[in-house]
RNA sequence: GCCCAGGUGGCGGAAUCGGUAGACGCGCUGGUCUCAAACACCAGUUCCUUCGGGAGUGCCGGUUCGACUCCGGCCCUGGGUACCA
């Protein structure tokens, strides 16, 4: 083999590993570049070709940056805690650490084969105690801090204690769980336990009773981003709402900063928008409404205080704390029934019943603070307890949900903004003047909002308020395979472990299931308590715990004293380029920004955003292949009918011939011949029953087995022809052979399939198909039931159908990178993944196209080697043409790399190689920079050639070539000449010609005369170096 | 429903400060080489055509000397989100 990629790739992968070529360290004299891939969860299935897409892209960037003189940090690791390993452990008893280790090993092998320049010395594995030591350590800081709204940062709990001692709860403005206010003396009078309970309302990591997403099947709670449509994202199991004591992280405290930070980072607008929606900021007002006959004031939240005169009723969440008190005796039974019904309903049912309006009247009335008119108070589940104040003023005229509710329960609809037909539907637009609003009539909406807010504040019944949809993240999981909390309980109150006792290592358990009394699996661990016998927390941390600060550990992964040293963090700062899938938009990418900001507040890290630039690589979809299994009988009848009907036998046949209370498949009336198709087994029986009666009526009966029609249609037709020829001849029948193997699977090539064959589309393993042609032998061996399959071919081949679908085992379209590397090499795989299309867009994988890039690499090899496969290179001075080919490629490729447009840079390389091959260029001055330019894309090939060229250091750190404009200047310009915008011909003009001269040359050229048709042009436009357009 | 991304040959895709639409590759067709096949190499390949040319970047309209690119309206596909007041 002239280009022996197997040998070359093995050699250089070994070289890089042995020499630790890509090991990174702090080098203050060099500029840094930190490029990171979202680390994978090592699943049992291994990598398919879709996974390394982003890794290859970041590898090209890393290699390019190294050659540009940057000190590059390009690490990889494993997000190793997770449900699949634990589910597997439950099924098999195998320790999840064991399977995880095996899976990691396999991932590592697969990644190594691709030639990725990772610094494996910096690798982290989240399930490694040396790693989760720091996850636990950060958790303790989260527990030991609270969020101060005045300085807008996290502060130590000790400061909060001091503030409470001095001025009670009024002394601070903190992000906290709502609770009764207390004075300094009340604080001083609290027991230690009560003080601890109170502090939990403020801690950033806190324990509380909250409504959680409980997944019975997984036996654990899930965060909002782990649930979709009432089902768990992992495993698709039903999820219900349940109140439980759980750890949470006060992410909501950071809502505004998480929102503001988005404006300072270079992420795709789509992801930023998703995060903005998830954070869900809305500005409005909280307003108190008196309750008629009660000494209560209900606080509502609204974004439309301008519509307060249209508030004709009030709605509370069914779980609202005052729902009971507000219920009158007459309504009590109805209210209780409704509250029970709502509580029982699962999240899933609730979503399924969206748009079904339900609710119940409490019997009480609130007073509209402006009109003092009583308005009924209802309970309805379209108002959520967890948002705003859990209560709204309903304005049916200007809110569609309120409108639907008012319609359903015949409540009044009063328009207060002109411009809509509010009897029919809600007018939700914020344009128009106020009506029915006393003093505020005539004001435009924005002005009215200001005016009413001011009035509300003046009346002392409310104030402007901003709300966020973003909820605190539930942080405990009732599972085994996760980070243990560094927490023990004393007198029922949580306490964190001292730092010197970290890491708290995950204990062994004999079974990975919950205990008999419903405790999490850690309830099975022996001695799961501290030295004093205080029990440890039984929950473990969720998946996102380990991935929220991993990018800091890479900076200083061996540091056993700190999360990250000041020095390492100060040098690497934050990730310059982060690449991963967009599915993490609302999970990982929010949580890690939150952790980062928290660590920033504590002065532990120097940047408040972790990922400067983010790219979402598109999914690689699978390309499935199909075979078409047909109904044997339908197929046999169809092909036979096609022949009989096309008159090849010279007689007219009828189909579905009705005779003597029976329907026969085909009949030639003229010759009184009936042809019947029958499955082999039943053919003899059919013959015995029908032959006699038909003969008596003067008909002859030819029974054909389906098998013989399928196998040899011509022989069948010959037999029929004989019978048509000779009136007297009796058909012969021998079903002995056919009857044995009735209905062998029959597959018809794609273009021969007809709907009347009743085809079934069957996914076939894509490795059995090449260029959409089926390997029949391999297919027969694929499945035992296809061993004796019959095929109807086109031109000797079976053509498969295809479709683009998700790459998945069940669709048999998974392509393994190892196989591609075995057949074509890692450099070809790398190049082809990039060539497929833009990094960010989804595109189907099609192994068929890979020959193109492989041939390209072969041509590169031949550029340097002669027919004897010996390096052949000379030191001749390149021609202008050769210089130009090289330098335009350098310019294009380097610009494309900056823009992450790798598909076009591969195309540019191909063009360059085609040109240089054409020119038979073997000049060192051209090929030496060329191979350096190519090296980030095809590093193995480049290293090998680089070494053969006589270089002793490896190409990975050779200087990147840069282009020189002087080689790109043109002496001649080719102008397309168009008439009325339609291009007609080209003229070649010296580059220095003026526009007037170009215009004259265009008009005077021979070809122009034909298009001018003697007319004088109205106008001639010359765009320098671009185009000439003649307007007639 | 709302938000985002995207609709270009048989396929993946290229070209957007408006300036030759279809680069590059696959596939296909023809040719050279070969006993033959594979490989390799060369030529062709948007569609229609009366071989003059005409049409063409989801659809309709607009701006312009000129529109895949800008503007208005609509359709379709993919993704996200869903009673957040």
């Amino acid at each position: 083999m002239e280009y022996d990629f197997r040998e070359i790739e093995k050699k250089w992968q070994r070289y890089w590993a042995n020499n630790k070529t890509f090991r990174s360290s702090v080098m203050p004299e060099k500029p840094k570049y930190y490029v990171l891939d979202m680390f994978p969860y090592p699943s049992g299935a291994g990598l398919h070709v879709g996974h390394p897409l982003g890794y290859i892209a970041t590898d090209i960037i890393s290699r390019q940056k190294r050659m540009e003189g940057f000190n590059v940090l390009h690490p990889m690791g494993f997000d190793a805690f997770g449900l699949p390993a634990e589910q597997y452990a439950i099924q098999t008893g195998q320790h999840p650490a064991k399977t995880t280790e095996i899976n990691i090993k396999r991932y590592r092998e697969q990644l190594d084969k691709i030639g990725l320049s990772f610094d494996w010395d910096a690798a982290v594995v989240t399930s490694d105690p040396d790693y989760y030591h720091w996850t636990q350590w950060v958790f303790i800081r989260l527990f030991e801090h609270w969020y101060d709204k005045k300085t807008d940062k996290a502060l130590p709990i000790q400061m909060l204690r001091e503030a409470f001692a001095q001025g009670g709860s009024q002394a601070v403005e903190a992000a906290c769980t709502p609770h009764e206010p207390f004075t300094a003396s009340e604080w001083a009078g609290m027991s230690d336990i009560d003080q601890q309970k109170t502090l939990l309302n403020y801690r950033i990591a806190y324990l509380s009773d909250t409504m959680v997403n409980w997944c019975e099947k997984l036996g654990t709670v899930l965060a909002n981003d782990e649930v979709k449509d009432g089902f768990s994202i992992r495993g698709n199991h039903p999820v219900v709402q349940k109140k439980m004591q759980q750890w949470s992280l006060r992410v909501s405290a950071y809502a505004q900063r998480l929102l503001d930070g988005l404006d300072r980072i270079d992420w795709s607008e789509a992801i930023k928008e998703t995060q903005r929606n998830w954070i869900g900021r809305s500005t409005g007002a909280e307003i108190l409404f008196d309750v008629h006959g009660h000494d209560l004031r209900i606080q509502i939240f609204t974004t439309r205080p301008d519509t307060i005169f249209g508030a004709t009723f009030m709605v509370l969440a069914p779980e609202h704390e005052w729902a009971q008190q507000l219920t009158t005796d007459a309504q009590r039974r109805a209210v209780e029934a409704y509250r029970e019904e709502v509580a029982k309903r699962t999240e899933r049912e609730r979503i399924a019943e969206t748009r079904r309006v339900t609710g119940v009247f409490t019997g009480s009335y609130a007073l509209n603070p402006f009109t003092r008119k009583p308005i009924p108070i209802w309970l309805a589940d379209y108002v959520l307890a967890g948002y705003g104040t859990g209560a709204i003023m309903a304005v049916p005229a200007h809110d569609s949900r309120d409108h639907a509710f008012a319609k359903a329960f015949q409540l009044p609809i009063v328009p207060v903004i002109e411009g809509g037909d509010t009897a029919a539907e809600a007018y939700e637009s914020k344009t128009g003047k106020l009506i029915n609003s006393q003093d505020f009539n005539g004001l435009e909406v924005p002005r009215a909002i200001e005016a009413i807010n001011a009035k509300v504040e003046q009346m002392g019944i409310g104030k402007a308020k901003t709300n966020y949809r973003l909820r605190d993240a539930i942080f405990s999981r009732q599972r085994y395979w996760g980070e243990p909390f560094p927490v023990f309980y004393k007198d029922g109150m949580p306490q964190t472990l001292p730092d010197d006792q970290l890491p708290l290592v995950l204990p062994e358990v004999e079974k990975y299931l919950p205990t008999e009394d419903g405790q999490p699996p850690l309830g099975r661990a022996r001695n799961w308590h501290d030295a004093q016998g205080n029990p440890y927390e039984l929950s473990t941390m969720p998946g996102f715990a380990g991935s929220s600060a991993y990018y800091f550990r890479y900076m200083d992964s061996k540091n056993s004293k700190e999360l990250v040293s000041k020095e390492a963090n100060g040098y690497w700062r934050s990730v310059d380029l982060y690449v991963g899938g967009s599915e993490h938009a609302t999970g990982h990418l929010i949580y890690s920004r939150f952790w980062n900001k928290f660590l920033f507040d504590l002065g532990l890290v120097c940047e408040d955003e972790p990922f400067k630039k983010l790219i979402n690589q598109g999914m690689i979809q699978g390309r499935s292949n199909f075979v078409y299994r047909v109904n044997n009988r339908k197929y046999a009848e169809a092909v036979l009918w096609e022949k009989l009907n096309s008159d090849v036998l010279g007689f007219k046949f009828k189909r579905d011939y009705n005779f003597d209370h029976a329907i026969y498949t085909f009949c030639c009336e003229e010759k009184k011949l009936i042809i019947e198709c029958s499955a082999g087994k039943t053919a003899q029986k059919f013959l015995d029953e029908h032959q006699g009666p038909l003969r008596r009526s003067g008909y002859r009966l030819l029974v054909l087995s389906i098998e013989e029609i399928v196998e040899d249609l011509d022989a069948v037709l010959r037999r029929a022809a004989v019978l048509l020829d000779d009136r007297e001849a009796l058909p012969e029948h021998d079903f002995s052979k056919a009857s044995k193997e009735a209905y062998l699977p029959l597959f018809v090539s794609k273009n021969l399939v007809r709907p009347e064959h009743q085809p079934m589309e069957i996914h076939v393993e894509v490795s059995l198909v090449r260029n959409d042609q089926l390997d029949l032998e391999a297919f027969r061996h694929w499945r035992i039931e296809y061993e004796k399959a019959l095929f109807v071919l086109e031109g000797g081949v079976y053509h498969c159908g295809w479709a683009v679908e998700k790459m998945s085992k069940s669709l048999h379209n998974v392509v393994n990178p190892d196989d591609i590397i075995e057949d074509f090499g890692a450099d070809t795989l790398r190049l082809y993944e990039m060539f497929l299309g833009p990094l960010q867009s989804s595109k189907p994988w099609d192994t068929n196209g890979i020959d193109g890039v492989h041939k390209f690499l072969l041509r590169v090899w031949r550029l340097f080697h002669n027919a004897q496969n010996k390096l052949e290179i000379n030191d001749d001075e390149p021609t202008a043409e050769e210089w130009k080919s090289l330098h335009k490629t350098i310019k294009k490729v380097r610009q494309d790399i900056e823009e992450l447009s790798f598909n076009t840079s591969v195309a540019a390389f191909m063009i360059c190689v085609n040109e240089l091959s054409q020119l038979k260029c073997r000049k060192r001055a051209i090929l030496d920079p060329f191979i350096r330019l190519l090296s980030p894309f095809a590093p193995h090939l480049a290293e090998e050639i680089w070494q053969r060229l006589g270089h002793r250091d490896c190409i990975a750190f050779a200087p990147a070539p840069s282009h020189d404009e002087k080689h790109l200047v043109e002496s001649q310009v080719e102008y397309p000449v168009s008439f009325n915008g339609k291009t007609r011909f080209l003229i070649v003009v010296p580059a220095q010609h003026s526009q007037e001269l170009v215009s004259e040359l265009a008009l005077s050229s021979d070809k122009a005369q034909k298009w001018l048709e003697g007319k004088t042009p109205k106008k001639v436009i010359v765009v320098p170096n671009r185009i000439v357009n003649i307007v007639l």
Side-chain angles (χ1 to χ4, degrees):
Chain A
M1 196 193 305
E2 39 177 340
Y3 162 41
D4 189 353
F5 55 84
R6 290 194 190 91
E7 207 40 57
I8 292 169
E9 291 177 359
K10 219 186 298 161
K11 169 180 167 185
W12 289 101
Q13 282 166 13
R14 214 180 295 134
Y15 178 93
W16 295 326
N18 292 343
N19 292 282
K20 294 196 183 294
T21 306
F22 304 112
R23 191 166 190 174
S24 43
S25 57
V26 170
M27 299 168 82
E29 72 285 0
K30 265 183 147 186
K32 67 98 188 185
Y33 195 82
Y34 185 2
V35 52
L36 183 64
D37 301 279
M38 291 186 189
F39 63 169
Y41 173 78
S43 85
L47 295 172
H48 65 61
V49 288
H51 295 116
L53 180 73
Y55 307 156
I56 294 169
T58 53
D59 195 58
I60 291 170
I61 297 281
S62 302
R63 289 176 179 274
Q64 177 68 26
K65 289 285 175 186
R66 278 187 207 107
M67 294 175 77
E68 287 175 16
F70 286 88
N71 183 24
V72 171
L73 178 56
H74 180 38
M76 178 49 75
F78 297 97
D79 189 11
F81 280 128
L83 285 178
E86 183 162 4
Q87 293 298 85
Y88 188 74
I90 291 168
Q91 285 162 24
T92 64
Q94 177 95 257
H95 197 291
K98 189 82 198 151
T99 47
T100 302
E101 192 192 324
I102 293 167
N103 292 347
I104 286 177
K105 190 156 170 275
R106 166 132 174 74
Y107 263 62
R108 177 72 200 272
E109 279 168 12
Q110 287 189 296
L111 290 171
D112 280 346
K113 281 193 205 164
I114 302 171
L116 301 166
S117 64
F118 290 127
D119 174 9
W120 282 107
D121 287 322
V124 298
V125 176
T126 56
S127 59
D128 179 349
D130 289 340
Y131 177 85
Y132 66 66
H133 179 153
W134 298 104
T135 309
Q136 293 174 334
W137 185 86
V138 174
F139 178 83
I140 294 173
R141 308 306 109 172
L142 289 162
F143 184 79
E144 293 296 345
H145 286 79
W146 61 289
Y147 197 83
D148 177 31
K149 288 186 182 174
K150 281 190 214 148
T151 53
D152 233 335
K153 64 188 282 195
L155 294 174
I157 284 288
Q158 190 49 36
M159 288 175 72
L160 191 63
R161 286 177 175 275
E162 286 161 14
F164 286 164
Q166 292 206 348
S169 58
Q170 303 299 314
V172 294
E173 244 181 82
C176 65
T177 313
H179 62 89
E180 291 295 315
F182 53 84
T183 62
S185 58
E186 281 170 332
W187 170 257
M190 281 186 204
S191 67
D192 178 49
I193 297 278
D194 283 342
Q195 284 193 346
Q196 286 191 46
K197 279 186 184 158
T198 303
L199 288 175
L200 280 177
N201 290 327
Y202 290 83
R203 295 182 189 275
I204 291 175
Y206 64 97
L207 196 59
S208 72
D209 285 318
T210 31
M211 287 301 267
V212 295
N213 304 301
W214 173 255
C215 181
E216 186 63 48
K217 197 71 193 285
L218 294 173
T220 188
V221 304
L222 297 170
N224 285 342
D225 65 279
E226 294 170 319
V227 181
K228 190 176 188 284
D229 297 337
F231 286 89
S232 64
I233 287 185
R234 287 249 186 226
N236 211 33
H237 304 300
V239 171
V240 298
Q241 296 294 300
K242 200 172 165 183
K243 197 156 202 165
M244 286 177 73
Q245 195 183 54
Q246 298 293 329
W247 285 102
S248 294
L249 299 185
R250 212 175 294 282
V251 184
S252 59
Y254 284 83
Q256 187 61 49
R257 282 171 62 191
L258 289 169
L259 195 59
D260 294 341
L262 293 174
D263 298 331
R264 301 193 303 269
I265 49 185
D266 181 10
W267 293 16
S268 75
E269 208 39 56
I271 291 278
K272 289 205 226 179
E273 203 50 36
T274 307
Q275 293 216 338
R276 284 191 193 105
N277 291 339
W278 194 259
I279 294 166
R281 177 191 154 108
S282 58
T283 54
E286 282 180 349
I287 303 173
L288 291 165
F289 278 54
D290 290 326
V291 181
H292 184 72
H294 278 80
D295 192 18
L296 284 176
R297 296 172 105 189
I298 299 177
Q299 192 176 39
I300 59 99
F301 175 70
T302 179
T303 55
R304 295 293 302 273
D306 55 308
T307 61
I308 196 163
F309 288 90
T312 52
F313 56 103
M314 176 180 278
V315 185
L316 310 186
E319 307 92 335
H320 196 277
E321 51 174 338
W322 294 344
Q324 304 251 6
Q325 298 179 56
L326 293 170
T327 302
T328 59
D329 290 339
Q331 291 298 99
R332 191 157 308 276
R333 279 185 62 177
V335 168
E336 287 311 317
Y338 182 69
R339 290 197 359 138
E340 244 170 72
E341 184 198 321
V342 169
K344 266 199 309 211
R345 224 177 317 162
T346 63
E347 183 71 0
R348 188 177 158 245
E349 285 162 342
R350 213 177 62 78
I351 286 161
E353 288 171 10
T354 293
R355 307 286 157 226
R356 204 190 91 190
V357 182
T358 65
V360 67
F361 178 43
T362 60
S364 296
Y365 291 82
L367 297 175
N368 185 312
F370 282 77
T371 62
R372 301 307 291 173
K373 274 192 202 151
I375 56 174
I377 302 172
W378 287 68
L379 302 184
D381 68 349
Y382 82 91
V383 173
L384 305 176
Y387 185 77
T389 60
I392 61 156
M393 62 172 200
V395 185
H398 304 289
D399 180 287
S400 56
R401 293 153 303 183
D402 297 342
H403 194 272
F405 195 83
K407 282 269 176 177
F409 294 101
Q410 279 112 50
L411 294 158
I413 299 170
V414 178
V416 289
I417 292 156
E418 63 176 18
D421 173 14
T422 57
E425 59 176 355
Y427 177 70
E428 294 185 298
S429 165
K430 286 189 181 179
T431 51
K433 288 189 166 70
L434 264 64
I435 52 173
N436 297 329
S437 299
Q438 297 177 0
D439 300 347
F440 303 95
N441 283 343
L443 288 179
E444 286 287 340
V445 169
R447 281 283 303 120
I449 291 176
E450 285 172 32
I452 290 181
N453 274 346
K455 181 75 181 170
V456 161
E457 216 156 313
Q458 186 201 329
M459 291 161 74
I461 55 164
K463 58 178 192 308
K465 164 90 184 181
T466 301
N467 265 322
Y468 301 89
R469 206 185 75 119
L470 184 73
R471 304 297 162 78
D472 288 346
I474 310 280
F475 200 62
S476 19
R477 298 290 179 275
Q478 288 63 44
R479 302 290 299 203
Y480 173 73
W481 191 231
E483 298 87 345
F485 282 84
V487 167
F488 63 88
Y489 287 86
K490 197 173 171 190
D491 302 323
M493 295 308 295
Q495 318 291 332
T496 50
L497 292 179
D499 287 348
D500 61 13
Q501 286 184 30
L502 298 182
L504 176 62
V505 177
L506 189 65
E508 295 299 318
V509 293
E510 81 283 8
K511 243 163 97 179
Y512 305 99
L513 288 168
T515 63
E516 279 62 38
D517 54 352
Q519 296 284 8
L522 288 189
R524 296 176 179 277
R526 285 162 189 268
N527 303 322
W528 191 236
H529 53 73
D530 70 0
Q532 285 70 47
N534 296 309
Y536 287 140
E537 166 70 51
L538 298 182
S539 299
T540 52
M541 297 188 198
F544 65 84
S547 58
S548 289
Y550 75 116
Y551 49 92
F552 289 125
R553 282 305 283 172
Y554 285 138
M555 296 174 182
D556 198 8
S557 64
K558 295 288 179 288
N559 193 336
S560 58
K561 303 273 181 294
E562 301 158 280
L563 171 69
V564 57
S565 72
K566 275 254 168 329
E567 187 207 4
N569 179 252
Y571 179 71
W572 296 110
R573 305 192 74 82
S574 65
V575 177
D576 296 285
L577 177 67
Y578 195 32
V579 176
S582 56
E583 67 273 19
H584 298 108
T586 52
H588 165 60
L589 289 173
I590 292 244
Y591 297 129
S592 49
R593 289 182 62 218
F594 156 71
W595 281 52
N596 192 98
K597 285 179 188 299
F598 172 74
L599 295 170
F600 175 79
D601 284 355
L602 270 56
L604 295 166
V605 302
C606 62
E607 296 277 353
D608 90 319
E609 283 289 343
F611 315 118
K612 242 188 260 171
K613 183 177 169 77
L614 174 78
I615 292 293
N616 296 116
Q617 93 265 29
M619 263 214 301
I620 292 208
Q621 297 148 309
R623 189 178 187 279
S624 306
N625 274 116
F626 303 110
V627 291
Y628 301 91
R629 183 171 179 172
V630 299
N631 179 312
N632 299 41
R633 168 186 290 274
K634 299 287 177 194
Y635 174 76
E637 289 180 6
V639 293
L640 186 54
W641 176 238
E642 200 180 302
K643 293 291 179 190
L644 297 178
N645 196 35
S646 70
D647 223 24
V648 284
L649 297 177
F651 294 94
K652 272 234 157 338
F653 275 82
K654 283 189 174 169
R655 194 165 185 181
D656 295 333
Y657 188 70
N658 204 330
F659 179 79
D660 195 20
H661 309 295
I663 296 173
Y664 298 98
T665 322
F666 306 110
C667 176
C668 173
E669 284 185 309
E670 191 185 341
K671 291 283 183 178
K672 295 221 157 190
L673 177 68
I674 285 175
I675 300 180
E676 183 64 29
C677 298
S678 185
K681 269 184 193 161
T682 54
Q684 190 63 49
K685 198 172 152 221
F686 186 90
L687 187 69
D688 295 344
E689 279 174 23
H690 292 258
Q691 194 166 34
L694 282 172
R695 259 171 99 173
R696 285 191 285 282
S697 311
Y699 283 90
R700 286 169 300 159
L701 172 65
L702 172 60
V703 178
L704 298 169
S705 75
I706 287 163
E707 290 73 15
E708 58 186 322
I709 299 172
V710 170
E711 277 176 15
D712 197 348
L713 182 60
D714 287 340
V716 166
L717 289 170
R718 279 196 300 275
R719 278 170 62 195
V722 169
L723 295 171
L724 290 166
D725 225 31
D726 180 358
R727 229 163 211 301
E728 300 307 316
L730 273 174
E732 313 157 28
H733 295 286
D734 174 17
F735 303 115
S736 58
K737 202 176 77 188
S739 61
K740 279 186 210 142
E741 289 165 356
Y743 289 99
L744 288 172
L746 173 59
F747 296 94
V748 177
S749 186
K750 183 188 157 202
N751 300 307
L752 301 176
V753 186
R754 302 287 171 264
E756 57 266 32
H757 303 160
Q758 297 188 350
M760 267 174 47
E761 229 176 35
I762 296 173
H763 278 90
V764 58
E765 172 59 41
V766 288
S767 59
L768 310 179
V769 178
R770 179 111 196 212
N771 282 356
D772 290 335
Q773 296 176 9
L774 185 65
D775 179 337
L776 301 183
E777 269 319 296
F779 180 73
R780 286 197 172 104
H781 287 110
W782 183 45
R783 289 273 164 90
I784 187 81
E785 65 262 38
Y786 299 150
E787 204 183 342
K788 293 180 175 166
L790 302 173
F791 299 97
V792 179
L793 308 178
E794 303 171 61
V797 293
Y798 188 97
H799 291 283
C800 297
W802 62 273
V804 172
E805 296 176 294
K806 202 181 134 204
M807 194 172 277
S808 136
K809 230 175 177 174
S810 63
L811 301 173
H812 301 296
N813 59 9
V814 174
V815 180
N816 185 315
D818 304 3
D819 296 341
I820 301 289
I821 290 170
E822 181 55 32
D823 292 348
F824 300 97
D827 285 335
T828 297
L829 172 74
R830 293 168 61 105
L831 227 39
Y832 189 53
E833 294 240 0
M834 293 301 104
F835 187 59
L836 232 37
L839 183 60
Q840 286 97 327
S841 42
S842 290
K843 59 246 161 189
W845 175 271
D846 183 1
T847 306
N848 293 336
I850 204 166
D851 274 343
V853 287
H854 189 66
K855 276 188 233 166
F856 159 74
L857 288 179
L858 199 62
R859 255 182 246 137
V860 172
W861 185 262
R862 287 188 186 143
L863 223 39
F864 291 85
H865 295 83
N866 60 21
Q868 287 71 48
N869 204 27
K870 287 269 170 303
L871 188 83
E872 187 182 314
I873 208 92
N874 63 52
D875 289 310
D876 297 352
E877 180 59 24
T879 63
E881 209 176 351
E882 289 164 340
W883 280 127
K884 191 180 149 195
S885 180
L886 173 69
H887 280 258
K888 79 170 186 217
T889 308
I890 295 173
K891 184 179 180 181
K892 171 83 177 141
V893 169
R894 289 200 56 167
Q895 192 180 330
D896 283 349
I897 291 175
E898 284 304 312
E899 291 164 7
L900 304 170
S901 174
F902 300 110
N903 55 328
T904 51
S905 40
V906 176
F909 278 124
M910 289 174 166
I911 293 167
C912 182
V913 168
N914 289 347
E915 286 170 354
L916 294 179
S917 301
Q918 199 80 52
L919 295 168
K920 304 206 170 9
C921 174
R922 291 205 181 280
K923 294 167 185 166
R924 185 184 300 276
I926 298 293
L927 297 182
D928 184 289
F930 174 82
I931 200 69
R932 278 184 279 138
L933 187 66
L934 180 65
S935 69
F937 294 77
H940 309 86
L941 173 74
E943 288 283 15
E944 180 65 25
I945 288 176
W946 188 246
Q947 190 182 53
R948 289 178 183 221
L949 286 174
H951 296 280
R952 307 214 32 210
D953 295 329
C954 71
I955 201 168
F957 293 95
S962 46
H963 81 278
D964 187 339
E965 285 288 341
K966 83 174 180 214
H967 295 300
L968 302 178
V969 290
E970 304 273 357
S971 57
Q972 304 252 298
V973 182
E974 200 178 43
Y975 278 94
V977 179
S978 59
F979 289 77
N980 291 333
K982 286 258 169 237
T983 306
R984 296 305 180 184
F985 58 86
L986 300 173
I987 54 168
V988 176
V989 173
Q992 70 276 13
H993 271 26
S994 67
Q995 292 186 36
E996 290 72 23
L997 211 45
V998 172
S999 160
E1000 266 171 48
L1001 282 170
L1003 285 171
S1004 59
S1005 82
D1006 296 348
K1007 293 172 194 152
Q1009 303 318 309
K1010 173 181 167 190
W1011 296 100
L1012 284 167
E1013 292 169 334
K1015 286 182 231 165
T1016 318
K1018 286 196 188 115
K1019 201 168 163 189
V1020 179
I1021 290 145
V1022 178
V1023 183
N1025 298 320
R1026 282 286 186 189
I1027 198 172
V1028 179
N1029 190 20
I1030 297 162
V1031 187
L1032 292 174

